[in-house]
Amino acid sequence: MAEAAPETAGETAAETPKKKPGWGTLFRSLRNPKSGYMALFGFASGLPFALFLGTLYAWLSEAEVELETMGVFSLIGLAYAFQFLWSPLIDKVTIPGFSKLGRRKQWIVPAQILLGIILISLSLSNPTDSNMGWFSLLAGIGALASATQDIAINAWRIDVADEDATLDILSTVYQMGYRLAALVGGALGLIIAARIGWPQTYLVMGAILLVIGIAGLWAPDAKVGDPIEGEAEDELLLSLRRKGELEPAIRARALMAVGLLWAVSIGGVLTFMFMSLTYAPEERPNPTDFTITWGPWIIVATVVIPALIAGWLASQKKQGVNLLTEDLPPRASNSYAADHLYRALVMPLVEFVGRMGWSLVLILSLVLTYRICDAIWGTFAYPFYLGELQYTNDEVAFASKFFGVGAIIAGLAIGGYLITVIGRMATLTLGAILAALTNLLYADMARGGALMQAASDAIGFSALINFMAPFGSDALPRLTFTVMWENLAIGIAGAAYVAWLSSIVSKKYSAVQYALLSSLTLLVGTLGRGALGEMIEDRGYYWVFIFTTAIGGVAVVLCIMEWIREKSSGRAAGVVTPDPKVVPAE
């Protein structure tokens, strides 16, 4: 029997009858227990990221620890940037003793409990130069556990989505939980620490993650070994040796090439980790330099070249070349292991490239451009606010952290609602338009903000901000007004983007495919910061915002093209086929 046709997270509308869109769909999804667990998992995903990549440095600064002594801290951002390198483990490896938790929960729950223990251990440690080795090692392990749970949580969201708890709503709820955690672990964490101390703050945060990990035991999930798409794992492996499939020799060559490229990439990251752990502070490599220098080559080695190999394999099968003419006998143990590796490393790309064809060029272009402005701009936001516009730390914290995070959550809610009313692709395109236009608001701020001030005054927004933040200057309302509109746009665009990205991956390979695509979004922002920084130096912020508006315009065009592609291929804008195999874990 040939391998089953791949089931993606988004299916055709004809397969599932549409229910009336709007608030009814939204409330029906939010009442589903899966949405509650999704909010918890989103919070658990965002909290460690905020604590390890932001708040922890504030603690170390107060402890007067020199940055060059923080060996493993250079690895923290690296764990998130290159998490796709171990994503095949999440799809294919069963953890002994935890498999009864479920296909994804066997990774999620232990990671959350481990993170809780690590945060509590950090609270019991003293971050001094003499103790920094142990302290930074804990943080490094925590970052790896955090990145791992992110992979598993994204795959869980795709696996459990159904017609009630839709993929679109689960994606929106996930981001709401994530953004709320960023506020709790970031700005609120600083406020709490100022009152009860850093150790007690991290103790509280660790306890929260432990509670979420325990609550996750009751979350629904597919059992390990249950077929996601109609066939058991052994049956899928056997299907590789049946008539009409690629010859083992061809698959072995592809596996050897892809495996070598992945091994070299992982080896490069491990070498960097070893150097960061063992070298003297003045000799340790810089993580940003490593990402900029080696990041593109790692992407080429693990995504670009394997995608070309996958495309060649798909074309061979489509043309009927190098195929088995008869079933092969049962395989030996060595070929069994090779088939497992082939399904873990090669098949995710073969499936994706074979399903998308030349549309893959459009999809990758959209992935690389849709969030690039946000990814790049984040690095320069504070220099712009504090240096160029001369706002105070308190004013920036109020506008970007408190009011800004609230605006993002509101934008996510609006985005989730719009998806249920006008569809996923319409919301994705609208989000791209709004995100591009908000760059023009910042262009006005770079010229003095006269238009933003006038608009804020006209609708009474300035009076509201002056009442809420009496410590601020007369210029605070226009900054808050600008940040509000930008973050509303980010929320709407983010809700649609994560839902769209989740919808185009196969449930069978959701961990690998989603991790690869999302990592492209993260890395392209890192790689573009140097060029944008030079442009700011040469041309100033105003022209940079005009340029980023143009990039946003490209993303709008690509959204429209992808919308047309999905329409022509018959895919629904926001309907997900229920998966009867997803059941509550026993």
Side-chain angles (χ1 to χ4, degrees):
M1 180 170 56
E3 189 169 344
E7 176 189 356
T8 57
E11 298 291 347
T12 61
E15 295 174 14
T16 302
K18 282 190 177 181
K19 296 183 179 180
K20 186 177 180 181
W23 293 111
T25 301
L26 188 61
F27 290 142
R28 197 163 45 244
S29 295
L30 293 177
R31 286 199 305 266
N32 193 296
K34 294 176 184 177
S35 296
Y37 286 112
M38 188 76 268
L40 286 177
F41 287 166
F43 189 90
S45 183
L47 190 61
F49 188 86
L51 293 174
F52 289 133
L53 284 182
T55 311
L56 192 59
Y57 286 96
W59 183 4
L60 296 173
S61 297
E62 284 193 14
E64 298 182 349
V65 174
E66 296 182 0
L67 290 178
E68 57 267 23
T69 66
M70 306 178 196
V72 180
F73 285 96
S74 62
L75 309 179
I76 292 178
L78 209 65
Y80 292 98
F82 297 107
Q83 59 180 260
F84 63 89
L85 290 175
W86 62 92
S87 60
L89 298 177
I90 311 301
D91 264 339
K92 297 303 174 189
V93 174
T94 298
I95 305 178
F98 292 94
S99 60
K100 290 185 178 181
L101 294 177
R103 185 170 184 242
R104 306 303 183 186
K105 282 163 51 184
Q106 66 172 328
W107 292 94
I108 296 173
V109 172
Q112 290 172 349
I113 292 176
L114 176 61
L115 282 165
I117 293 173
I118 286 175
L119 290 175
I120 292 173
S121 299
L122 287 175
S123 74
L124 302 176
S125 303
N126 185 21
T128 60
D129 287 338
S130 60
N131 195 37
M132 189 49 56
W134 168 250
F135 195 87
S136 57
L137 179 61
L138 284 174
I141 295 173
L144 290 172
S146 176
T148 300
Q149 80 150 347
D150 288 354
I151 300 170
I153 287 173
N154 286 322
W156 179 88
R157 179 181 69 247
I158 294 166
D159 287 354
V160 305
D162 57 32
E163 62 180 350
D164 288 327
T166 67
L167 182 62
D168 301 314
I169 299 303
L170 289 181
S171 298
T172 301
V173 169
Y174 165 78
Q175 292 180 87
M176 286 182 172
Y178 191 97
R179 296 290 184 174
L180 182 60
L183 178 62
V184 171
L188 189 58
L190 294 173
I191 294 173
I192 295 174
R195 285 155 177 77
I196 65 174
W198 285 110
Q200 293 79 4
T201 300
Y202 271 71
L203 181 66
V204 171
M205 301 297 178
I208 290 173
L209 277 174
L210 285 178
V211 170
I212 294 175
I214 294 172
L217 293 171
W218 287 272
D221 196 6
K223 295 180 180 178
V224 172
D226 275 2
I228 289 296
E229 300 182 34
E231 292 184 274
E233 179 72 11
D234 285 344
E235 183 67 19
L236 291 171
L237 289 171
L238 284 171
S239 70
L240 293 174
R241 303 177 66 82
R242 290 182 175 142
K243 180 180 178 181
E245 295 296 323
L246 290 167
E247 292 180 354
I250 298 297
R251 291 192 284 106
R253 291 171 195 164
L255 175 60
M256 184 177 300
V258 174
L260 180 62
L261 290 168
W262 276 69
V264 170
S265 300
I266 293 173
V269 174
L270 290 177
T271 300
F272 174 83
M273 294 172 65
F274 176 79
M275 293 169 67
S276 297
L277 282 166
T278 59
Y279 282 25
E282 62 274 7
E283 298 177 353
R284 287 173 186 149
N286 183 283
T288 301
D289 292 342
F290 177 85
T291 303
I292 292 175
T293 303
W294 293 104
W297 293 110
I298 291 176
I299 289 295
V300 168
T302 56
V303 180
V304 178
I305 297 178
L308 293 174
I309 294 173
W312 180 77
L313 292 173
S315 68
Q316 293 285 291
K317 191 169 183 179
K318 185 176 182 180
Q319 296 170 13
V321 181
N322 292 319
L323 302 183
L324 293 171
T325 57
E326 59 181 13
D327 290 352
L328 293 180
R331 54 190 176 268
S333 58
N334 60 337
S335 60
Y336 183 81
D339 285 349
H340 267 291
L341 284 173
Y342 181 80
R343 284 185 53 74
L345 293 180
V346 183
M347 282 301 294
L349 281 172
V350 171
E351 189 280 333
F352 194 70
V353 173
R355 173 160 49 89
M356 294 301 178
W358 286 107
S359 300
L360 183 62
V361 176
L362 170 60
I363 288 170
L364 291 180
S365 299
L366 184 53
V367 167
L368 292 173
T369 57
Y370 193 82
R371 302 304 299 273
I372 186 173
C373 295
D374 299 337
I376 295 176
W377 166 238
T379 303
F380 302 102
Y382 285 107
F384 178 63
Y385 298 149
L386 299 172
E388 182 76 7
L389 302 183
Q390 296 294 304
Y391 284 99
T392 66
N393 287 330
D394 287 343
E395 289 174 326
V396 172
F398 172 81
S400 64
K401 295 298 183 182
F402 288 100
F403 207 93
V405 170
I408 287 181
I409 293 175
L412 288 168
I414 294 171
Y417 171 72
L418 288 175
I419 290 173
T420 67
V421 176
I422 63 177
R424 182 187 301 139
M425 290 309 302
T427 308
L428 186 74
T429 305
L430 176 62
I433 294 171
L434 294 176
L437 292 178
T438 54
N439 286 281
L440 297 178
L441 306 186
Y442 279 100
D444 177 67
M445 289 291 292
R447 287 287 182 92
L451 292 176
M452 292 299 96
Q453 187 68 52
S456 177
D457 293 342
I459 65 173
F461 187 83
S462 297
L464 174 65
I465 297 304
N466 289 330
F467 173 78
M468 293 178 61
F471 56 84
S473 65
D474 292 339
L476 178 59
R478 61 172 175 260
L479 174 65
T480 310
F481 187 73
T482 304
V483 169
M484 178 190 70
W485 288 110
E486 181 205 21
N487 286 8
L488 280 172
I490 288 175
I492 294 171
Y497 180 71
V498 172
W500 170 73
L501 205 63
S502 302
S503 75
I504 62 176
V505 304
S506 168
K507 283 192 174 184
K508 193 192 308 180
Y509 308 109
S510 54
V512 178
Q513 291 179 355
Y514 190 91
L516 284 170
L517 292 173
S518 60
S519 291
L520 288 176
T521 305
L522 179 63
L523 284 173
V524 74
T526 301
L527 300 176
R529 286 169 194 158
L532 195 68
E534 291 181 7
M535 186 176 180
I536 291 173
E537 290 290 333
D538 295 340
R539 304 294 300 275
Y541 281 99
Y542 175 80
W543 289 108
V544 165
F545 290 124
I546 300 299
F547 174 70
T548 53
T549 302
I551 295 178
V554 173
V556 172
V557 174
L558 292 172
C559 283
I560 295 172
M561 294 173 65
E562 169 65 4
W563 193 355
I564 294 172
R565 183 194 72 81
E566 292 201 4
K567 284 278 189 180
S568 63
S569 65
R571 290 187 57 215
V575 178
V576 180
T577 302
D579 184 359
K581 302 297 188 300
V582 177
V583 295
E586 295 178 354

